[in-house]
Amino acid sequence: MRRPSGFIWAVGILGFMLFLPAGAFAQQESPAQEAVPPGGFVHTVVEGDTLWDLSSKHLGSPWKWTEIWERNRFVTNPHYIYPGIRIVIVPPAPKEVAMIVSPPPQETAAPAPAPEPAAVPPAEAPAAAPPPAIAPAPEPYLDILPADFVRAGEFLREAPMGVGNILGGKDPKVGFSENDTVYLTLDKAIPAGQLLGVYRVRGPIRVSGDRSYSGYVKYLIGVLQMGPKEDGQLTAKVRQSFEDLTRADLVSEEIPYYARVKIVPGADGVPSTVIAGRLLNKELATGDFVYLDRGTASGVQVGNVFRVFAPTGIAAGTLMADKGDVNTEVARAVVVRVGTEFSTAYVERSTQSFEAGVPARRGIPAK
């Protein structure tokens, strides 16, 4: 019986597909001929691995996980990697430490009599040695720990959304911390092993002044790793906690990462206002994160420096009843995160504490 031509074409295509490499059908497969940079190596993922853990082990901090992801962008979900895939890891180069070894002391012998100096013709004066080269000044970077950097947070006009919340835990506790097992309610399917961020949200925060509006503060307080279902209930283990996690906190697929911030003060002249601090403390000072009401729409970039001003004295020639307070620079804050309307800044140094609502200005004036 003569077979239809369509059947013959189907058999031919199937035979061709059988000879294709297995990686062609893998949802997530590393390149077979991935070039490994000097000092790097290839790691085959096993069950339970995460970029977060591998970064902690090989790069010195879990918050540098994006450095591994940037080298392995075939990974579609950086918070969940499959067993069997091969990823390239390049640890940081070891720091070189110069060691000066002094020669062993020798016995001092009696000095021999010095010979009579021979008469020599005067030599020409040696050429002046060239001045030593002056090394360029190192580029300034913000001095901040990765664990502090990832908690910077942001100010948002709308209430943030996540993928779920914490229902409770195995232990009857109000707050949960590292190594606790918690139960979750989620709006979407999340595979076991995936990492999730836990965020604290405050608001609405009313802002008054030239522009009146309200918004929300959102910042990271912990990291969860999805576990297996137990009696039909979704579980997760608390892998990291900066504060006790509660039922009111937001669970999200977003997890921040650390990136060095190069300080670029920016042109002087962008006025701003300190909207709020990350935490509830009224007085803000060195080490705090603050939110400014200017973003990329005003030309603000990561690394820009804002001078913060506060009333600190009485202007000369005025009476105390005449609003004689003058604004003086009390702090400098470096932008670490920026959005269209708002930016997050780290208070690098302060001479006195200040409150939300005080003015700020970008740039460092020339002396």
Side-chain angles (χ1 to χ4, degrees):
M1 182 177 67
R2 186 177 180 182
R3 295 185 181 276
S5 59
F7 174 79
I8 297 174
W9 273 103
V11 172
I13 293 172
L14 178 60
F16 174 74
M17 292 174 66
L18 291 175
F19 286 98
L20 285 176
F25 301 100
Q27 181 180 3
Q28 189 180 68
E29 182 62 47
S30 54
Q33 282 81 28
E34 177 68 37
V36 180
F41 63 94
V42 176
H43 173 79
T44 301
V45 174
V46 299
E47 187 174 355
D49 275 349
T50 63
L51 296 188
W52 201 69
D53 290 320
L54 295 174
S55 175
S56 178
K57 180 179 179 180
H58 299 291
L59 305 187
S61 170
W63 307 108
K64 296 181 180 180
W65 58 264
T66 185
E67 294 184 20
I68 301 179
W69 189 38
E70 287 294 336
R71 295 185 181 275
N72 302 272
R73 291 310 291 262
F74 65 90
V75 176
T76 54
N77 181 353
H79 306 312
Y80 180 63
I81 51 179
Y82 297 86
I85 65 173
R86 291 158 54 85
I87 58 177
V88 175
I89 300 175
V90 181
K95 294 182 179 179
E96 294 184 1
V97 179
M99 182 179 294
I100 301 176
V101 180
S102 302
Q106 298 180 355
E107 294 183 3
T108 305
E116 292 291 333
V120 294
E124 295 181 1
I134 300 176
E139 294 181 321
Y141 284 87
L142 180 63
D143 184 15
I144 185 174
L145 296 174
D148 292 331
F149 176 89
V150 297
R151 303 191 62 216
E154 59 186 329
F155 187 85
L156 305 167
R157 277 192 183 270
E158 304 296 332
M161 305 295 291
V163 295
N165 297 91
I166 296 174
L167 279 177
K170 282 189 173 182
D171 299 323
K173 299 163 61 175
V174 175
F176 306 97
S177 55
E178 289 179 31
N179 297 319
D180 283 344
T181 297
V182 296
Y183 301 119
L184 304 179
T185 174
L186 299 176
D187 300 330
K188 62 180 294 187
I190 303 292
Q194 178 167 328
L195 297 177
L196 298 169
V198 182
Y199 290 83
R200 183 140 299 162
V201 178
R202 292 195 292 110
I205 297 173
R206 308 291 178 184
V207 178
S208 58
D210 296 338
R211 297 184 300 163
S212 297
Y213 54 87
S214 64
Y216 298 80
V217 168
K218 169 192 171 186
Y219 65 94
L220 182 79
I221 62 169
V223 175
L224 304 175
Q225 186 170 23
M226 288 295 297
K229 277 189 175 183
E230 295 184 5
D231 298 327
Q233 180 63 59
L234 296 173
T235 68
K237 184 177 182 180
V238 181
R239 297 293 307 278
Q240 175 86 59
S241 63
F242 297 106
E243 303 177 27
D244 282 349
L245 316 184
T246 71
R247 295 167 177 81
D249 295 322
L250 190 70
V251 176
S252 171
E253 291 183 277
E254 175 192 356
I255 297 178
Y257 61 89
Y258 168 73
R260 295 185 71 194
V261 176
K262 182 179 178 181
I263 298 178
V264 184
D268 185 22
V270 177
S272 181
T273 301
V274 176
I275 301 172
R278 183 190 64 185
L279 304 178
L280 287 171
N281 48 308
K282 184 177 180 181
E283 297 290 326
L284 304 168
T286 302
D288 284 328
F289 288 99
V290 296
Y291 307 112
L292 306 173
D293 65 348
R294 290 290 184 268
T296 55
S298 302
V300 178
Q301 299 177 349
V302 170
N304 285 174
V305 177
F306 276 81
R307 293 173 290 147
V308 180
F309 299 87
T312 56
I314 304 299
T318 62
L319 299 176
M320 294 188 64
D322 294 337
K323 297 182 179 180
D325 289 349
V326 292
N327 283 335
T328 304
E329 179 181 332
V330 297
R332 291 191 179 182
V334 179
V335 174
V336 299
R337 187 170 184 174
V338 62
T340 304
E341 289 186 277
F342 310 107
S343 55
T344 305
Y346 176 75
V347 182
E348 184 185 24
R349 66 173 184 258
S350 62
T351 55
Q352 72 172 52
S353 61
F354 57 94
E355 298 183 11
V358 298
R361 188 181 185 88
R362 189 182 71 176
I364 301 175
K367 293 182 180 180

